[in-house]
Amino acid sequence: MASGGGGYRHSSSGAPTRLSTKIDRQNSGAYATPKASAKSRIPASPSTGSGFRRSSSGPLPAQPRASADAGVPGRVRVAVRLRPRNSEELVADADFGDCVELQPELKRLKLRKNNWESETYEFDEVLTEFASQKRVYEVVAKPVVESVMEGYNGTVMAYGQTGTGKTFTLGRLGDEDTAARGIMVRAMEDILADVSLETDTVSVSYMQLYMETIQDLLDPANDNIAIVEDPKTGDVSLPAATLVDIRDQKSFVELLRVGEQHRFAANTKLNTESSRSHAILMVHVRKTVKGRQDMDMSFRGENGHHTSSHSLRPPVIRKSKLVVVDLAGSERIDKSGSEGHTLEEAKSINLSLSALGKCINALAENSPHVPVRDSKLTRLLRDSFGGTARTSLVVTIGPSPRHRGETASTIMFGQRAMKVENMVKLKEEFDYKSLCRRLDIELDKLIAENERQRKYFEDEVERLRVEAQKRIAEAEKSCKIALENEKTTLQQDYRDSIKKLEEKWKVNQQAIEKSRAEQESRKATKSDELLEVRNMLENEKNLRQSSQDEIIDLRNQVQHWKKLEESRGAEIVKLRKLLDTEASQKEKLEEEIAVLKSQLLQLSLEAEETRRSLDRGASGKIFPGLDSLMSQANRNSQLRDQTNGPKPPIAKLFEQVGLQKILSLLESEDADVRVHAVKVVANLAAEEANQEKIVEAGGLTSLLTLLRSSEDETIRRVAAGAIANLAMNETNQEMIMAQGGVSLLSMTASDAEDPQTLRMVAGAIANLCGNDKLQARLRGEGGIKALLGMVKCGHPDVLAQVARGIANFAKCESRAATQGNTMGRSLLIEDGSLPWIVKNANNEAAPIRRHIELALCHLAQHEVNAKEIINEGALWELVRISRDCSREDIRMLAYRTLTSSPTLQAEMRRLRIEC
């Protein structure tokens, strides 16, 4: 990308190689002995004598929790570090003494004007050429790191002339000598030691500011990151930068190594590997405050069961940010010998450092206007100088008298920085999402308990109902038997009484008839006989009356038994009322369940409203995207936050079973076993550290065999995804091609109908399209036609992968043409991809449109394709892209392509189109 000596740190073959940083060429063993702690320093004056103004020598003390608008004053702390003489200075300056004299015990530095006159300055800490890396970290960066872990933002920055050891101080990885580790590595060691990976998160972004353009060192394609400024708070953020979660020190060091490989450097007279950009490392820490997240959530109800309380307190979290800035070295053109593009880089570096110096001067002089918008560097460091962060600055100088002017300028920069006061603020907020999750869990428990009680109540009511019905049946049966027995007894007594009365009546009738016969025979009846007959009749009447009384008594007894039966019926009615009462209690419980559900809805609405208010009120105080990670953090990524406890299931399976055993399961006869085995291999292939092991163990061959032989759609989809992950490595790409992987992927694409399977296949082919060496073979084995065949699916994810593959292929063709390789017409155009590219150049989906626009620009850069571009109507799309594209880099690429092609220029003049 850069000319004149600048460029990425890559080998000539194009493959990334690990190069030592620029300060590795210096005598790194010279920093050995730790000195005293840091104090402030100001220039000495004749009127003050030896009475220098000093600040506290220890780290800034932890402050009590501040409100949202309050802050704690904190001056910028400055330390100066002297680099030892290098091999060139030992020869060139052998007859001259050092231009500086250090007095570390007094925190002073003397800058010699000549042999008899010097100027004295005082700093927070003076570090000699023998100071060890550990000593530098403890006095410069450790107080800031401790403040970050307490919830404050912090900044550590290195400033100085090129070649004075800034990158050595900050970014040395210490691969060969652990004692040489720089501030970045040591700071992350302390941060990881102080956080709990179960509840806390640490994530990093690594960028460079090159030629006033912010570029992502972890994703080189992301080369124009925009600065977003909160209109309310003024805080700045970089939402488009890559944000990587850090779980261990090894992965962090690997990220630093990857970023260093993509950083721009050049060979100058002052430094063989001079950094041509400002490196910026941002570490975001999200930490839960211990001892302040207890929640009084329980009490005992009347039934003794555990229920939820309304006294809830959300956990408190602290979100802080550590910014480590490795500024590019200031240089004089006449000394560095910069020319061409390197000269332009030097001008950009000096302009940004000059803008930073102006801002610090304005802050030191309490000027009402601070020109922070003069440079992107000052906008990024807005919070570090005059903002809310604790800032520590280390200025690096060299001993050579030839560079006394640069040394004096560096010292004066540090002097002015010491006058800058920051208002340090604590970054605390309530974790309402965690509270909502806990409330959901509590509500689930209550609902389960309510369901259990309701089930118990229904079972109890059913038992009582069955028992009541059983008792009623028994009572009815006993009453019926008693009534039948009593009825039988009364009927028998009634018949016996009637029989006796009939017998008495017959006897009386016989007596009457006998008396009548006697009367007829005697004809004369005496008065006493008549009286006797009358008496007999009276007795008969009395007997009849007594019989009737007995009948009445029997009827009364029958009525008594009927009343007894009615009382039994009333008891049955009472039991039925009891059942009705229990049914009403059941309805009340259902109403309580409805109330609990409404309370859950209310709590959810309140939590959502609180989250929205937080998003509106504090979106600029934290790094955007952290919420998203926390949400991913929250539901689907909670299993990864437990790494301090049990290991993830895939890693545990990898350790316990072994890779060979897992790969052998791919050939199992059981389809379910093969499905699970290929999913495990795909998950392992997603980690870059496992890819080499999988390939060495024959996993790539097994996956290709499985893709060739299996008819199961799930196995083919997951196998294609695993091959796509392995295809991100250049060595693996060549192996895939050698084993006929492109043909297999093309056959799979033609047979598959599932959009997700097609997306995996398209992603694998797209990764292979990015390899310059494989283009002809890829096209010959049908890779391009397979990509174009998958567009019939119409699924946005599949189209995005197809567009990415075409963009990668076109970029490789453009790069080959730029390098002078003889090429004919584009292979993409020969395979008929241009009509589809033109049709989708203005696609509504941003990922598809961005890749198509890049592909069209790269195709048009090769003059031999210009005629096809014009015939297919792609010229109009290029003009639209150069005018309306939302991305400035693509828009400028389209503009340069149109203005550099004679054929396209002639056609535009013919059509009277102005670019």
Side-chain angles (χ1 to χ4, degrees):
M1 293 177 61
S3 61
Y8 288 118
R9 292 179 179 143
H10 289 295
S11 65
S12 59
S13 63
T17 57
R18 182 170 64 89
L19 300 178
S20 59
T21 58
K22 57 183 180 180
I23 46 82
D24 289 343
R25 299 179 180 271
Q26 301 173 0
N27 185 5
S28 59
Y31 301 94
T33 308
K35 296 295 181 181
S37 60
K39 295 185 179 180
S40 65
R41 75 101 182 109
I42 59 174
S45 63
S47 60
T48 58
S50 61
F52 295 101
R53 175 172 60 88
R54 301 185 180 184
S55 65
S56 172
S57 61
L60 293 173
Q63 301 295 337
R65 182 183 180 187
S67 65
D69 299 324
V72 179
R75 179 179 61 78
V76 175
R77 302 179 72 253
V78 182
V80 61
R81 186 181 193 185
L82 177 63
R83 171 184 60 76
R85 289 193 178 192
N86 54 33
S87 57
E88 180 184 353
E89 293 170 345
L90 289 173
V91 176
D93 301 332
D95 297 332
F96 302 93
D98 293 349
C99 67
V100 292
E101 178 185 350
L102 304 184
Q103 296 177 337
E105 65 280 355
L106 299 177
K107 307 297 182 288
R108 294 179 185 174
L109 177 149
K110 288 186 177 181
L111 179 63
R112 294 192 180 96
K113 293 184 178 179
N114 46 49
N115 290 336
W116 58 87
E117 186 178 2
S118 63
E119 295 178 348
T120 303
Y121 301 92
E122 184 173 347
F123 287 89
D124 292 301
E125 183 66 34
V126 175
L127 302 167
T128 69
E129 64 269 30
F130 304 107
S132 66
Q133 291 282 74
K134 179 179 180 181
R135 170 64 177 166
V136 174
Y137 171 73
E138 289 178 347
V139 301
V140 174
K142 190 168 185 178
V144 177
V145 174
E146 291 174 349
S147 297
V148 170
M149 299 312 297
E150 292 171 359
Y152 300 91
N153 287 345
T155 302
V156 178
M157 188 171 70
Y159 177 91
Q161 182 190 7
T162 181
T164 54
K166 298 182 296 303
T167 305
F168 179 89
T169 301
L170 294 181
R172 187 67 180 270
L173 300 182
D175 292 334
E176 299 176 357
D177 182 9
T178 56
R181 291 168 297 161
I183 286 176
M184 291 182 182
V185 178
R186 294 177 184 269
M188 183 56 68
E189 288 176 352
D190 285 355
I191 290 174
L192 291 176
D194 193 53
V195 300
S196 172
L197 296 180
E198 295 180 354
T199 57
D200 307 333
T201 59
V202 179
S203 56
V204 300
S205 297
Y206 198 17
M207 298 148 291
Q208 67 176 350
L209 177 59
Y210 175 71
M211 300 285 286
E212 284 301 302
T213 302
I214 301 175
Q215 302 178 359
D216 198 331
L217 290 176
L218 303 181
D219 182 9
N222 190 9
D223 56 1
N224 190 13
I225 301 175
I227 299 176
V228 178
E229 184 172 338
D230 191 311
K232 296 182 179 179
T233 63
D235 293 342
V236 296
S237 59
L238 303 171
T242 301
L243 193 65
V244 181
D245 287 338
I246 300 299
R247 312 300 300 175
D248 52 53
Q249 185 70 12
K250 182 179 178 181
S251 61
F252 174 70
V253 173
E254 188 62 28
L255 284 179
L256 291 183
R257 184 176 291 108
V258 171
E260 185 62 25
Q261 291 175 356
H262 294 110
R263 191 175 176 188
F264 284 97
N267 184 3
T268 67
K269 292 181 179 180
L270 297 179
N271 193 353
T272 57
E273 288 192 22
S274 174
S275 295
R276 314 311 291 169
S277 64
H278 307 298
I280 303 166
L281 175 70
M282 291 186 179
V283 182
H284 301 269
V285 180
R286 181 181 183 275
K287 187 175 182 181
T288 303
V289 180
K290 302 297 182 181
R292 296 178 62 183
Q293 57 180 344
D294 297 332
M295 305 171 67
D296 182 15
M297 299 181 63
S298 62
F299 64 91
R300 292 285 177 179
E302 295 180 358
N303 57 357
H305 294 291
H306 188 275
T307 58
S308 177
S309 171
H310 297 289
S311 176
L312 302 174
R313 183 179 183 183
V316 178
I317 58 173
R318 289 176 177 172
K319 296 180 179 179
S320 55
K321 178 175 64 176
L322 173 64
V323 180
V324 183
V325 184
D326 180 10
L327 294 174
S330 60
E331 62 183 55
R332 291 186 177 179
I333 307 304
D334 56 345
K335 291 184 178 182
S336 65
S338 300
E339 60 183 11
H341 189 74
T342 307
L343 177 60
E344 297 300 323
E345 293 173 339
K347 289 180 181 179
S348 177
I349 292 170
N350 290 338
L351 284 175
S352 61
L353 294 177
S354 176
L356 178 61
K358 290 179 182 179
C359 291
I360 291 179
N361 287 342
L363 291 170
E365 296 171 1
N366 293 324
S367 173
H369 172 66
V370 180
V372 294
R373 295 188 176 275
D374 289 355
S375 170
K376 287 187 178 181
L377 177 63
T378 54
R379 291 182 67 190
L380 288 173
L381 298 178
R382 183 174 185 175
D383 192 49
S384 304
F385 292 97
T388 62
R390 297 189 189 275
T391 303
S392 184
L393 172 67
V394 55
V395 294
T396 58
I397 59 176
S400 176
R402 291 179 296 156
H403 305 304
R404 183 189 179 282
E406 289 82 351
T407 302
S409 176
T410 301
I411 291 173
M412 293 309 299
F413 180 89
Q415 289 285 284
R416 290 189 294 270
M418 290 180 65
K419 298 179 182 180
V420 177
E421 289 279 348
N422 292 348
M423 292 301 292
V424 184
K425 292 184 180 180
L426 186 64
K427 309 293 183 180
E428 275 191 356
E429 63 182 39
F430 291 114
D431 190 357
Y432 288 101
K433 291 186 177 180
S434 176
L435 174 61
C436 186
R437 289 195 301 273
R438 300 176 77 171
L439 288 175
D440 289 338
I441 294 172
E442 187 67 20
L443 182 61
D444 290 340
K445 292 181 180 178
L446 289 175
I447 291 175
E449 179 66 19
N450 181 266
E451 290 290 338
R452 189 189 64 80
Q453 291 183 2
R454 187 176 68 177
K455 178 65 176 173
Y456 172 79
F457 176 76
E458 291 176 352
D459 293 343
E460 188 67 19
V461 169
E462 182 64 20
R463 186 184 63 80
L464 292 175
R465 187 183 65 80
V466 172
E467 185 177 353
Q469 289 179 350
K470 184 177 179 181
R471 291 183 178 180
I472 291 171
E474 292 177 352
E476 290 178 347
K477 184 177 180 181
S478 60
C479 289
K480 184 176 180 180
I481 293 173
L483 288 174
E484 289 292 336
N485 294 335
E486 188 68 23
K487 181 179 178 181
T488 302
T489 303
L490 291 175
Q491 288 178 349
Q492 184 65 34
D493 292 342
Y494 177 77
R495 285 193 294 269
D496 291 343
S497 300
I498 294 298
K499 187 176 181 179
K500 290 179 179 180
L501 289 174
E502 288 178 349
E503 289 177 352
K504 290 180 180 180
W505 182 79
K506 288 180 179 179
V507 171
N508 291 332
Q509 283 293 112
Q510 290 176 1
I512 291 171
E513 289 178 357
K514 185 178 180 180
S515 63
R516 285 179 181 178
E518 290 177 354
Q519 287 177 2
E520 289 178 356
S521 63
R522 290 177 181 177
K523 294 181 182 180
T525 302
K526 294 181 181 179
S527 56
D528 53 349
E529 290 179 356
L530 182 59
L531 180 61
E532 183 179 357
V533 171
R534 289 179 178 175
N535 290 334
M536 291 175 66
L537 290 173
E538 188 67 28
N539 291 333
E540 184 66 23
K541 289 180 179 180
N542 291 335
L543 288 173
R544 284 180 176 273
Q545 186 64 38
S546 63
S547 298
Q548 291 178 355
D549 291 339
E550 288 180 359
I551 291 171
I552 292 173
D553 289 339
L554 290 173
R555 289 178 178 173
N556 290 335
Q557 289 181 5
V558 171
Q559 292 294 331
H560 171 71
W561 284 109
K562 287 183 179 181
K563 290 181 180 179
L564 182 61
E565 184 177 0
E566 290 177 356
S567 65
R568 298 281 176 85
E571 185 177 355
I572 293 172
V573 172
K574 289 181 180 179
L575 290 175
R576 289 177 178 172
K577 289 182 178 179
L578 178 61
L579 290 175
D580 294 338
T581 303
E582 290 173 347
S584 63
Q585 290 179 356
K586 178 180 177 181
E587 293 178 356
K588 290 181 180 179
L589 286 175
E590 292 177 349
E591 293 175 356
E592 290 179 2
I593 292 172
V595 171
L596 288 174
K597 290 182 178 178
S598 64
Q599 291 177 355
L600 171 61
L601 178 60
Q602 183 67 24
L603 287 173
S604 300
L605 292 174
E606 291 176 358
E608 179 66 19
E609 184 64 26
T610 305
R611 184 185 68 77
R612 290 177 179 174
S613 63
L614 286 176
D615 291 340
R616 291 193 301 270
S619 61
K621 297 183 181 178
I622 61 176
F623 192 84
L626 191 57
D627 242 13
S628 169
L629 283 167
M630 181 181 68
S631 174
Q632 195 82 104
N634 284 318
R635 291 187 174 87
N636 102 11
S637 287
Q638 286 176 0
L639 46 109
R640 289 262 177 136
D641 292 338
Q642 310 298 327
T643 46
N644 220 20
K647 293 185 177 180
I650 296 299
K652 183 179 293 183
L653 180 65
F654 182 82
E655 293 178 0
Q656 293 178 355
V657 178
L659 183 57
Q660 289 293 346
K661 180 62 176 179
I662 295 174
L663 294 177
S664 66
L665 294 177
L666 296 176
E667 302 175 0
S668 173
E669 296 181 358
D670 190 337
D672 291 336
V673 173
R674 291 199 304 275
V675 169
H676 290 297
V678 74
K679 287 183 179 180
V680 171
V681 173
N683 286 327
L684 291 174
E687 300 290 338
E688 185 177 356
N690 299 330
Q691 292 181 359
E692 183 177 355
K693 298 178 182 178
I694 293 173
V695 174
E696 290 177 354
L700 177 58
T701 303
S702 299
L703 289 171
L704 292 173
T705 303
L706 199 60
L707 191 63
R708 179 186 297 109
S709 61
S710 178
E711 296 180 358
D712 187 281
E713 188 70 21
T714 301
I715 293 178
R716 295 167 66 187
R717 179 177 65 254
V718 179
I723 294 172
N725 289 336
L726 294 176
M728 291 187 291
N729 182 279
E730 183 175 352
T731 303
N732 296 342
Q733 291 173 357
E734 296 179 356
M735 294 183 65
I736 292 172
M737 292 295 297
Q739 298 183 32
V742 174
S743 300
L744 285 176
L745 291 171
S746 301
M747 292 173 57
T748 304
S750 63
D751 297 337
E753 295 180 357
D754 181 30
Q756 296 305 319
T757 303
L758 293 174
R759 181 174 67 88
M760 296 299 180
V761 174
I765 297 178
N767 290 338
L768 295 174
C769 286
N771 193 322
D772 297 346
K773 304 175 183 178
L774 306 178
Q775 288 209 309
R777 294 173 57 190
L778 181 66
R779 188 251 184 163
E781 294 182 17
I784 302 302
K785 292 186 177 179
L787 278 178
L788 295 175
M790 284 185 277
V791 302
K792 294 184 295 184
C793 172
H795 195 279
D797 293 342
V798 179
L799 296 181
Q801 293 299 326
V802 172
R804 183 172 69 88
I806 291 176
N808 288 344
F809 199 96
K811 185 176 181 181
C812 290
E813 286 187 334
S814 175
R815 185 161 52 237
T818 304
Q819 293 173 356
N821 296 337
T822 302
M823 292 184 60
R825 194 174 60 157
S826 170
L827 300 179
L828 287 173
I829 295 178
E830 290 184 357
D831 280 351
S833 63
L834 187 56
W836 184 81
I837 293 175
V838 175
K839 181 180 178 181
N840 289 272
N842 200 17
N843 195 289
E844 295 181 356
I848 301 174
R849 185 175 64 255
R850 177 169 61 87
H851 289 305
I852 291 299
E853 290 173 346
L854 280 172
L856 190 56
C857 291
H858 286 305
L859 287 175
Q861 284 183 332
H862 196 20
E863 188 66 16
V864 74
N865 299 328
K867 184 176 181 181
E868 295 290 340
I869 295 290
I870 295 171
N871 293 338
E872 291 295 338
L875 177 59
W876 294 100
E877 292 299 330
L878 282 171
V879 173
R880 179 191 61 78
I881 294 170
S882 67
R883 295 175 178 175
D884 304 331
C885 183
S886 59
R887 284 188 47 172
E888 183 179 357
D889 56 337
I890 300 178
R891 190 167 65 249
M892 294 304 298
L893 179 60
Y895 176 81
R896 289 196 301 269
T897 301
L898 289 172
T899 56
S900 62
S901 174
T903 304
L904 297 182
Q905 282 288 304
E907 181 67 13
M908 290 174 64
R909 286 193 298 270
R910 188 183 69 83
L911 298 175
R912 297 181 181 180
I913 301 175
E914 295 183 1
C915 184

